[in-house]
Amino acid sequence: NDVAQYQLNPQSGQLNQLGPNVQADLGPAGIAVDPLDHFVYVANSGANDVSVFNIDPASGMLGSMGTVPAGTNPAAITADPSGNFLFVGNGGSDDLYTYNTNSPTGGLPQLNNSYNTGGLNRFAVEVIEVAITFLPRFAYVANGSSNDVSAYTINVSTGKLTSLGPNAAAGNFPYAIAADPLGRFAYVVNAGDGSVSA
């Protein structure tokens, strides 16, 4: 239930531990770093919340700033590349929460947006992973129980998500998703059959 801190050596690639681990909440399952290097966010699946840490700019050490509520069993967590929004996938409540992160205090006011990601299968969908591409902004959610992927556009001013239509088919129990840095392709790992969908 804690977070380890390391310094990365860019020449050798080695990791050097910065200090003692910092305490998160029960069952940390996902982590995201603010693109502006101010904060770290940890989704705590066992506590149904998100821990917020500030990053000391000189040492890189984390300082706890408390927690904010999430849905049931949050696991997937991704920061928008703009540094304005945080997206949290809640596997137990089958939905996706959005938060405004554009705050010098690290506060995470939840936007009045909660998205059920499964379409017709929404009551059986488990949100596992969220991937964010660069401009224009899109979010993709791997839905483990319905074997498909939801796609959304992101309003860069408000963080609001708009569905792009019917979900795309994936393999058996898609578990994680990643987009290439240029935003051209997405890849999904399917835990149920050991395959990758592209």
Side-chain angles (χ1 to χ4, degrees), residues 62-146:
L62 299 180
S64 177
M65 301 183 70
T67 62
V68 295
T72 306
N73 303 129
I77 185 167
T78 302
D80 175 70
S82 69
N84 292 327
F85 307 109
L86 186 74
F87 300 88
V88 177
N90 304 295
S93 50
D94 299 334
D95 54 14
L96 183 66
Y97 279 17
T98 60
Y99 300 85
N100 187 338
T101 58
N102 189 14
S103 167
T105 65
L108 279 180
Q110 184 184 341
L111 301 172
N112 292 322
N113 302 329
S114 177
Y115 303 90
N116 197 303
T117 61
L120 295 176
N121 298 316
R122 61 186 177 274
F123 298 111
V125 169
E126 182 175 7
V127 177
I128 297 294
E129 185 63 54
V130 180
I132 306 295
T133 69
F134 290 91
L135 285 174
R137 302 267 196 261
F138 301 102
Y140 301 96
V141 181
N143 302 308
S145 296
S146 58

Side-chain angles (χ1 to χ4, degrees), residues 20-63:
N21 294 355
V22 294
Q23 191 68 35
D25 212 336
L26 183 64
I31 189 168
V33 179
D34 161 32
L36 305 178
D37 287 336
H38 295 150
F39 306 103
V40 169
Y41 309 102
V42 177
N44 301 300
S45 184
N48 300 329
D49 62 20
V50 175
S51 296
V52 182
F53 301 92
N54 65 338
I55 303 173
D56 183 281
S59 68
M61 298 283 286
L62 299 180

